[in-house]
Amino acid sequence: TAIAAFQKVLEMDPTNGATAIQLGQAYMRAGQLEESNTALEIAKANGQEDNANKLISQVYLQKAQASSKAKKYQETIDYAAKSNQYLENANAYRFAASASQQLGKNADCIANYEKYLELSPNAKDAAGVKFTIAALYQQGGDKAKAKEYYQMVATDPQYGPAAQEQLKTL
């Protein structure tokens, strides 16, 4: 009923950006992401650019998450990139990194994980991400970067022992 009500208001005043935002949010809650995106583009064109960009970014982030669950890795990367076009988001970089790793795109994985850590340095999974980055640098032959990242987790209770072992071999 909320969607119908917002649609009626928007029909009467197609330039009502605030109503378009509310319609976009209602569509998001209903899981109708394409319709949400359309409404949010209307909002963006009518004075609600910041709010619309934030919500459009969330729409694409939801699509990236769904694609990741479906193991559609290239699609995950594409949606994560689209999300970041509207509003940079640490989770979008995390999805893109994980999908890149699944596709064997190690350089892209590293770049996305590094951006993830830049935006979310205190993330709960930061130590694991740093260990993964170190291992990927090591696989790629960049011993200096591998050492740098292993050193970052050398005292971590979970990853420290393995990181210390790798540091000895490097």
Side-chain angles (χ1 to χ4, degrees):
T1 60
I3 290 172
F6 292 133
Q7 284 175 327
K8 285 182 184 182
V9 172
L10 209 51
E11 284 172 17
M12 291 186 292
D13 182 6
T15 63
N16 187 331
T19 297
I21 286 283
Q22 292 173 318
L23 177 60
Q25 289 174 315
Y27 277 130
M28 281 178 75
R29 284 189 293 277
Q32 296 175 272
L33 300 181
E34 293 302 322
E35 293 83 351
S36 175
N37 215 21
T38 301
L40 294 170
E41 288 292 344
I42 292 168
K44 187 175 171 180
N46 289 288
Q48 295 289 325
E49 187 170 354
D50 289 344
N51 290 335
N53 282 341
K54 181 180 178 182
L55 292 169
I56 292 169
S57 177
Q58 288 177 6
V59 167
Y60 283 112
L61 188 61
Q62 287 177 2
K63 289 181 177 189
Q65 183 176 19
S67 295
S68 178
K69 285 181 182 177
K71 300 182 188 226
K72 296 179 179 178
Y73 300 119
Q74 187 57 54
E75 191 173 277
T76 301
I77 294 166
D78 295 342
Y79 283 136
K82 195 77 166 165
S83 174
N84 281 326
Q85 285 177 357
Y86 287 94
L87 182 69
E88 202 169 37
N89 180 309
N91 285 328
Y93 285 110
R94 185 172 48 82
F95 281 123
S98 179
S100 294
Q101 188 174 13
Q102 291 295 325
L103 294 175
K105 297 179 178 182
N106 291 350
D108 291 345
C109 177
I110 290 169
N112 283 304
Y113 269 146
E114 287 178 334
K115 192 65 177 173
Y116 168 68
L117 290 173
E118 179 185 317
L119 294 175
S120 189
N122 299 319
K124 290 180 183 180
D125 63 346
V129 168
K130 290 173 185 175
F131 189 86
T132 299
I133 292 170
L136 292 173
Y137 273 128
Q138 187 176 7
Q139 288 173 14
D142 190 337
K143 291 181 180 182
K145 290 298 269 183
K147 285 180 184 179
E148 178 185 332
Y149 276 92
Y150 281 133
Q151 195 63 43
M152 289 180 195
V153 296
T155 59
D156 182 79
Q158 183 176 356
Y159 297 98
Q164 289 173 17
E165 283 299 315
Q166 291 302 320
L167 284 166
K168 287 177 189 175
T169 65
L170 291 171

